[in-house]
Amino acid sequence: MNPGRQKIYSAGLFCKVRHMEQNVSNIKRLSNPIAYVLSVCGFLVLLFMVIGAVYYATVAVDYHWRWFKVPKYFMYKSTITLYAEGYGEIDTIVDNRDKKDITVTTDAGTRTYTVPKDSFDWIEGDMVSPGDIVASYEGGWKPGILAKGLWVTLKISFLATIFGIILGIIGGVARVSDTPVLKWSAITYVEIIRGSPLLVQIMIFYFVLGTTMNKILLMNGIPKLDPQWYGVMALSIFTGAYVVEIVRAGIEAIHPGQVEAARSSGMTYFQCMFHIILPQALKTILPPLAGQFINLIKDSSLLGLISIRELTKATREGITTSLQTFELWILCAILYLLMTFTLSMCVQYLERRTATK
Amino acid sequence: MIDVISIYKTFYVPHEVKALVDVSNKIEAGEVVVVIGPSGSGKSTFLRCLNRLETAERGQILVDGVDIFDPKTNINTVRAEMGMVFQSFNLYPHLTVQGNVTLAQKLVRKRPKKEREEKTRMLLEKVGISAKAKAWPSNLSGGQQQRVAIARALAMDPKIMLFDEPTSALDPEMIGEVLEVMKTLAKEGMTMVCVTHEMGFAREVADRVIFMDEGMIVEEGTPEKFYKNPDHDRTKLFLKQIL
Ligand SMILES: Nc1ncnc2c1ncn2[C@@H]1O[C@H](COP(=O)(O)OP(=O)(O)O)[C@@H](O)[C@H]1O
Ligand SMILES: [Mg+2]
């Protein structure tokens, strides 16, 4: 098409789109402010009705909500208890700055404990038997099981995102190249990974690859890898395959004139790729990429099956000790929501920043 | 300077088109050659073969004695010596005007920062667009964009400039400013191959006009002879259509 014509055509299209937007927002906008407020109230009422109905139903089946028990799954104050190791007696109790040193001699040997002042009520010469509490006092704050799980999920998702992007860009550039070894490798990778369930891939990574690799590592005297690493590998490679396709689509959307301009000035293929094409492709790549990484966070919940204690597995373990089933599962979902929502906010911010150019 | 020896080019997709059929030509240093011909006659393909944006299936092109279709030739060093200006400008939209002119100086010529900034400033001044150095291409008029594209090509200090219908996407009132820049270049002694139907330009600065049709060079000659008194009927017919 003659570019002049194309300009007019796209200008026309632009007007049409703007026009349509206006129409849509005209339909959307309620002209009466009272009607608008009422409609917002309607939404809130609906929301509370649903929550209320769920709450009522759980009470009807005698579920006791105990949200107050939940915070300790995030942070708790640990208690440190020291036990006597055998029959014997308290030798000495001496001041050690604001603490005290208790020396206990039993048939298992002599030991000195440094403990806070009020953590015991012995006096020198008291007899102790095995299992007696020598001292008991509060330790520091410790992260609860959900906090640890959340941290593992964040760590694994972050690492898999980084590796997924690297794999995806390398794969995407290979996918659009003319060299068969690159192009066909990329196609094979994408098709194999996209054609099988993630759960199966995780199992293969852990039980097939993991077993083999750990054996090889052991044979060479290297300690075996933590399951977390196999989890990161499985997720990166899975996500990478989808990112390859996203990157490919982004690259193919760039006008071929850009490549010609760059190559005709003597840039190499890779210079053109990294300075001209990829920076421009970023704009089209970003939104689907965000969706992919939101999926990644959610998919990391499968890693519990290979004994990685991420958020979902941590929740399950929390429930077996506390029986706060409802609270913990709801909390678990809210935590995932918070992570995905934060990510999508960040991406929207990035999108706005790239769009201003 | 450029020796085109009997090149052929056929496109097979979407259907078979013989874009170039036995095209030969010799372009001397300092020469300004204008290529004209009806749409689809192979002008762009010819131009794009000169810096191997297209590869001819038969024939040879020697640029300063270097066979550019030889796989052993480093095409990027050849291309750095040949600036190209496109009908649709093809400025990099993610870079400012300055960035557009500077990038290849950095990547290809490996010029130090100071030197390439000085070069960019000088070239933007030359094409009369210094005030817009920090602007984004999308905020420029077509004529301004094309002048930036010329500056971008000149930044490599090319020995040859190739122009593919540089003014045909422009609104009429902007054609003049681009042609002015091209004329200045021609008068400075730049070797130029221009696909353009601007007869005024051809008459003022061209040393030779080539008429192409159906992938062949039908006729060539000095602008004087070519426009006043062409030999071939096809040339006469074409000139009648565009005048
Ligand atoms: N990349 C391409 N793929 C297929 N056909 C092409 C391609 N480029 C050019 N052609 C065809 O080759 C012929 C010559 O094109 P071109 O050199 O662009 O002509 P001009 O520039 O004189 O208008 C046309 O018929 C065109 O359709
Ligand atoms: Mg053309």
Side-chain angles (χ1 to χ4, degrees):
Chain A
M1 199 184 327
N2 169 335
R5 280 255 323 261
Q6 188 159 8
K7 216 162 34 186
I8 294 165
Y9 171 75
S10 55
L13 198 70
F14 182 61
C15 289
K16 208 160 134 194
V17 169
R18 280 235 322 223
H19 199 70
M20 261 165 48
E21 261 173 21
Q22 227 150 34
N23 280 349
V24 171
S25 60
N26 274 345
I27 293 168
K28 271 191 191 161
R29 196 175 302 128
L30 291 171
S31 43
N32 187 343
I34 297 176
Y36 184 77
V37 170
L38 276 180
S39 156
V40 170
C41 290
F43 167 73
L44 292 176
V45 168
L46 202 67
L47 192 65
F48 282 113
M49 264 167 59
V50 171
I51 294 174
V54 170
Y55 180 75
Y56 180 77
T58 58
V59 169
V61 297
D62 277 340
Y63 188 80
H64 292 286
W65 291 89
R66 285 194 287 251
W67 283 104
F68 65 88
K69 279 193 160 181
V70 162
K72 74 166 190 232
Y73 290 99
F74 284 96
M75 284 285 243
Y76 64 95
K77 229 174 174 151
S78 59
T79 312
I80 295 172
T81 311
L82 303 170
Y83 297 98
E85 288 157 351
Y87 292 98
E89 61 169 32
I90 308 286
D91 267 353
T92 54
I93 301 176
V94 289
D95 284 340
N96 179 0
R97 264 171 273 157
D98 57 335
K99 294 195 170 172
K100 295 219 170 194
D101 284 345
I102 306 187
T103 310
V104 188
T105 306
T106 61
D107 43 16
T110 301
R111 289 199 56 181
T112 302
Y113 307 95
T114 306
V115 297
K117 278 196 170 102
D118 312 324
S119 61
F120 61 92
D121 51 1
W122 303 102
I123 53 169
E124 289 180 6
D126 277 352
M127 307 297 285
V128 293
S129 350
D132 278 357
I133 294 172
V134 174
S136 164
Y137 55 93
E138 280 191 338
W141 286 99
K142 289 215 162 152
I145 190 166
L146 283 190
K148 281 186 192 161
L150 188 64
W151 171 242
V152 171
T153 294
L154 281 172
K155 193 172 68 181
I156 288 182
S157 305
F158 178 75
L159 289 175
T161 301
I162 301 294
F163 291 133
I165 289 179
I166 295 173
L167 266 178
I169 290 177
I170 295 174
V173 171
R175 180 69 181 73
V176 296
S177 95
D178 289 331
T179 319
V181 57
L182 295 178
K183 184 176 185 156
W184 294 351
S185 306
I187 293 177
T188 313
Y189 164 48
V190 169
E191 293 308 323
I192 287 179
I193 297 297
R194 292 203 309 180
S196 63
L198 176 57
L199 188 53
V200 174
Q201 288 173 31
I202 290 173
M203 295 300 182
I204 290 178
F205 266 90
Y206 186 58
F207 290 109
V208 180
L209 189 80
T211 313
T212 319
M213 256 178 69
N214 279 340
K215 280 222 171 105
I216 292 173
L217 289 178
L218 275 178
M219 270 159 31
N220 292 296
I222 305 166
K224 62 180 189 175
L225 275 178
D226 190 275
Q228 280 188 18
W229 288 107
Y230 294 106
V232 169
M233 263 189 247
L235 282 182
S236 313
I237 288 174
F238 179 79
T239 303
Y242 287 84
V243 177
V244 167
E245 284 301 292
I246 293 170
V247 170
R248 179 183 69 96
I251 291 175
E252 283 176 353
I254 302 299
H255 192 275
Q258 292 292 313
V259 183
E260 285 175 3
R263 295 305 306 273
S264 72
S265 68
M267 284 186 216
T268 64
Y269 179 80
F270 286 104
Q271 285 174 333
C272 169
M273 197 46 106
F274 286 98
H275 289 94
I276 306 299
I277 301 179
L278 286 177
Q280 291 184 52
L282 199 64
K283 217 189 308 189
T284 39
I285 287 176
L286 221 39
L289 208 55
Q292 199 53 51
F293 292 127
I294 284 172
N295 281 341
L296 171 67
I297 292 178
K298 295 187 288 182
D299 288 343
S300 72
S301 62
L302 293 172
L303 294 180
L305 288 162
I306 55 168
S307 68
I308 296 173
R309 214 192 246 171
E310 42 65 58
L311 183 54
T312 304
K313 185 162 162 68
T315 309
R316 284 215 322 249
E317 289 183 3
I319 287 165
T320 53
T321 59
S322 73
L323 303 178
Q324 299 308 118
T325 316
F326 292 14
E327 289 91 336
L328 290 186
W329 278 127
I330 290 171
L331 196 66
C332 177
I334 291 174
L335 289 175
Y336 277 111
L337 247 163
L338 276 178
M339 284 188 276
T340 54
F341 186 72
T342 313
L343 179 59
S344 91
M345 281 294 124
C346 292
V347 173
Q348 271 180 33
Y349 170 76
L350 275 181
E351 255 175 79
R352 267 200 304 276
R353 276 208 33 196
T354 52
T356 46
K357 289 182 188 173
Chain B
M1 179 159 243
I2 304 181
D3 211 347
V4 181
I5 305 164
S6 183
I7 57 170
Y8 289 75
K9 175 77 189 177
T10 313
F11 290 106
Y12 296 96
V13 185
H15 45 81
E16 195 174 314
V17 180
K18 288 196 164 59
L20 293 177
V21 182
D22 190 18
V23 173
S24 298
N25 215 275
K26 207 170 181 129
I27 295 151
E28 303 296 341
E31 211 182 6
V32 176
V33 177
V34 164
V35 182
I36 67 169
S39 172
S41 57
K43 307 181 296 293
S44 298
T45 309
F46 172 67
L47 208 64
R48 292 157 57 83
C49 278
L50 297 183
N51 65 356
R52 214 173 90 181
L53 283 183
E54 304 282 2
T55 40
E57 65 212 21
R58 273 172 64 189
Q60 260 189 334
I61 295 181
L62 306 178
V63 176
D64 281 335
V66 178
D67 178 358
I68 64 165
F69 295 134
D70 184 343
K72 287 198 284 289
T73 303
N74 181 352
I75 191 62
N76 293 321
T77 51
V78 178
R79 281 175 179 160
E81 305 294 325
M82 306 174 89
M84 189 160 201
V85 175
F86 303 86
Q87 182 176 9
S88 48
F89 328 135
N90 297 346
L91 292 184
Y92 310 134
H94 63 298
L95 298 176
T96 58
V97 164
Q98 222 170 15
N100 267 273
V101 182
T102 318
L103 185 65
Q105 296 186 57
K106 176 177 157 194
L107 297 180
V108 182
R109 287 283 188 232
K110 315 260 189 260
R111 276 192 195 128
K113 193 166 156 65
K114 257 236 162 72
E115 202 177 312
R116 58 182 191 253
E117 274 170 4
E118 176 58 24
K119 181 91 192 169
T120 303
R121 202 188 51 73
M122 195 198 80
L123 282 171
L124 289 180
E125 199 166 302
K126 179 169 183 173
V127 299
I129 210 151
S130 305
K132 301 274 185 182
K134 300 240 156 51
W136 299 101
S138 53
N139 296 337
L140 301 184
S141 73
Q144 290 171 326
Q145 288 191 48
Q146 194 61 297
R147 283 184 283 148
V148 174
I150 294 174
R152 179 177 68 178
L154 289 174
M156 306 300 293
D157 291 325
K159 295 196 194 118
I160 305 153
M161 287 286 284
L162 310 175
F163 292 84
D164 192 357
E165 307 205 32
T167 55
S168 48
L170 295 178
D171 294 333
E173 72 270 19
M174 292 172 186
I175 292 177
E177 62 195 55
V178 172
L179 288 180
E180 269 324 301
V181 173
M182 290 170 63
K183 281 177 199 166
T184 315
L185 267 184
K187 283 169 189 163
E188 285 171 7
M190 176 65 78
T191 313
M192 292 163 67
V193 183
C194 315
V195 175
T196 179
H197 291 150
E198 296 295 333
M199 205 166 77
F201 173 81
R203 291 200 130 149
E204 192 176 331
V205 297
D207 298 304
R208 192 148 57 91
V209 179
I210 295 177
F211 173 64
M212 288 185 71
D213 196 11
E214 293 180 352
M216 285 174 276
I217 294 182
V218 176
E219 179 167 1
E220 61 181 301
T222 61
E224 276 305 299
K225 157 133 195 326
F226 184 89
Y227 287 108
K228 280 218 186 86
N229 188 15
D231 292 333
H232 287 75
D233 290 342
R234 270 199 281 181
T235 318
K236 283 179 195 153
L237 190 67
F238 177 72
L239 287 175
K240 209 186 285 169
Q241 280 166 352
I242 63 165
L243 292 183

